[in-house]
Amino acid sequence: MKGFSDRFTDFPDYIIGITKEIWEDRGLATLHHYYADDIVVRSPGSVVVGNETVIGATMATLAEFPDRRLLGEDVIWSGTPEEGMLSSHRILSTATHLGDGVYGKATGKALKYRIIADCHAINNQINDEWLIRDQGAIVRQMGWDPKQYAIDLISREGGAANCVRPFHPAIDKPGPYMGQGNDNAWGAKYADILQRIMGADLGVIPAEYDRAVTGYYPGGQELHSTDGVDGFWVGLRAAFPSATFSIDHQIGREDAMMPPRAAIRWGLTGKHDGWGVFGEPTGADVHVMGISHVEFGPWGIRREYTLFDETAVWKQIAMKTG
C-alpha cells in the first residue's frame, strides 16, 4: 500500500476503516485529510465539489440520524497504489430518524438501506467519487411515496426553475480519475450480460443467472429467482426504451474466500418514452446513474445488487411535467 498509512493492511481495509472512522467514530475532521480539497462527488441528485461541502452534508446527516451505522458488505476494486485505485464499496446502513432535517420532522423510525460508493484513492486520499443511496428505500420507510417526495423536494427548493439539478452527464465536472476499471473476465462477462439485457435479449437471464438467484434492488426490494431479475430489468428498460445504455466503469475480481465478483457503474440516458416502473410516458429527459454488483456461483449469478435513486428519476420527470 505505497503512499497509504501502514495501519491499513490492504485497500478494502482502508476503505472500510476510514468509513467507520468518519461516520461511526465521529471523525468528521479527518475528511480534511482523507478527502481532497477539490474532490468531485457525483450522486444521482447533484454534483458537488470540495470537501467542505462533503463535511457540511455529513454533519447534517448525522444531526438527523445520530446513530447511523455503515456496515461494509464488500469492496470490489481495481488499480494499484502507485497509479491510484478505484473501490466500489457496498454498504448496508442502519439509522434512526431522531432529528429534524431534509426528510422532515423527526419520526423515530428505524431505517435500513444500501449504498454503493465508487471512490478513487491515491496517496492516502480520495479525490473522485460516485455515490448512490437507495433513496427509494429511505423515503418509503419514512412513509413517503418516492414520486411525491420528489415533487415536494422541488417545491421546497424553489420550484422547477430553481431546484437543485439532478446529475446528468451534461453537467458532470471532470475529476482526476479517468480509468475504466480492469481487464478481468468476470467484469467483462457481467458487462456483456447487462448489455444483452438492455438490448432486449432477455434469454440471457435464465442462461446466465442461477435459478435460485436473489436480487437486491432499489426501494429495498429483495426479489428471488430469474423471474424476479427479469421483472426488475424489464420494468426499468420499458420506461426508457429508446435511451442509450452505457457501461461507464467495469471491475472483475477473484479473491481468497470470496466468490468471483463484478462491479459495473452504468448509465441510462434518454427520454421517458415508455410504460414501465415510472408510469405514463412523459417525454422527460432523464439520466439514470446505476451501480451493480454481482457474485457468481457454479450455476451462474447467485446474487445481484443494483442501486439507482428512484427519487432523482421522479424529480427529472416532475421537472418536465410540473
Side-chain angles (χ1 to χ4, degrees):
M1 287 284 286
K2 182 179 179 181
F4 289 78
S5 170
D6 58 11
R7 71 186 180 92
F8 302 112
T9 58
D10 55 23
F11 191 41
D13 186 45
Y14 168 81
I15 292 294
I16 292 170
I18 68 169
T19 300
K20 180 178 182 296
E21 183 177 349
I22 292 164
W23 286 93
E24 296 178 40
D25 299 342
R26 294 301 195 269
L28 273 67
T30 65
L31 283 165
H32 289 291
H33 171 67
Y34 289 130
Y35 272 37
D37 290 344
D38 57 354
I39 184 173
V40 181
V41 180
R42 307 157 193 84
S43 67
S46 65
V47 183
V48 299
V49 178
N51 63 9
E52 292 290 350
T53 304
V54 174
I55 291 169
T58 303
M59 291 182 69
T61 300
L62 285 174
E64 199 165 1
F65 303 97
D67 64 346
R68 187 179 184 214
R69 300 181 73 198
L70 289 89
L71 308 173
E73 293 184 325
D74 199 3
V75 178
I76 303 174
W77 63 279
S78 62
T80 65
E82 293 79 11
E83 296 179 353
M85 297 179 286
L86 193 289
S87 71
S88 194
H89 181 198
R90 191 178 74 248
I91 298 163
L92 182 68
S93 186
T94 62
T96 310
H97 189 216
L98 298 173
D100 300 346
V102 70
Y103 298 104
K105 295 291 185 180
T107 62
K109 292 183 177 179
L111 307 181
K112 179 178 70 174
Y113 58 95
R114 281 190 170 84
I115 306 152
I116 302 180
D118 280 14
C119 295
H120 176 250
I122 190 167
N123 294 325
N124 215 46
Q125 192 173 67
I126 294 170
N127 60 14
D128 228 348
E129 184 170 358
W130 295 258
L131 172 70
I132 304 178
R133 295 186 186 90
D134 189 354
Q135 286 283 104
I138 294 172
V139 300
R140 283 183 176 89
Q141 291 170 86
M142 294 282 198
W144 290 86
D145 170 78
K147 178 180 179 180
Q148 290 304 315
Y149 174 82
I151 292 169
D152 181 78
L153 185 61
I154 291 171
S155 176
R156 285 187 282 135
E157 291 177 347
N162 301 307
C163 66
V164 177
R165 270 12 195 189
F167 177 82
H168 190 282
I171 64 168
D172 193 13
K173 298 183 183 300
Y177 182 66
M178 304 300 290
Q180 299 296 312
N182 63 10
D183 183 17
N184 176 277
W186 296 105
K189 183 178 181 69
Y190 187 42
D192 178 66
I193 289 168
L194 290 183
Q195 286 170 328
R196 288 170 65 185
I197 291 172
M198 288 294 167
D201 180 7
L202 302 179
V204 72
I205 294 174
E208 297 291 354
Y209 287 75
D210 191 318
R211 186 166 169 268
V213 63
T214 301
Y216 302 91
Y217 299 126
Q221 293 184 88
E222 180 178 322
L223 303 179
H224 301 278
S225 84
T226 50
D227 291 345
V229 173
D230 183 288
F232 166 71
W233 286 112
V234 169
L236 174 63
R237 187 51 160 162
F240 312 104
S242 68
T244 300
F245 177 72
S246 62
I247 299 289
D248 301 322
H249 199 271
Q250 172 182 313
I251 305 173
R253 287 201 66 85
E254 295 179 74
D255 293 295
M257 301 184 70
M258 297 288 285
R261 288 121 60 226
I264 301 286
R265 187 171 71 249
W266 50 268
L268 195 58
T269 309
K271 299 287 187 182
H272 175 221
D273 54 0
W275 284 92
V277 293
F278 292 97
E280 181 178 356
T282 62
D285 290 313
V286 171
H287 175 73
V288 182
M289 178 199 294
I291 304 179
S292 297
H293 286 188
V294 288
E295 298 174 358
F296 291 90
W299 301 289
I301 293 172
R302 294 296 308 273
R303 295 179 185 85
E304 182 171 60
Y305 304 83
T306 290
L307 287 186
F308 59 80
D309 181 348
E310 297 167 89
T311 68
V313 177
W314 279 119
K315 189 176 187 183
Q316 292 169 85
I317 292 170
M319 287 167 63
K320 160 75 172 181
T321 64

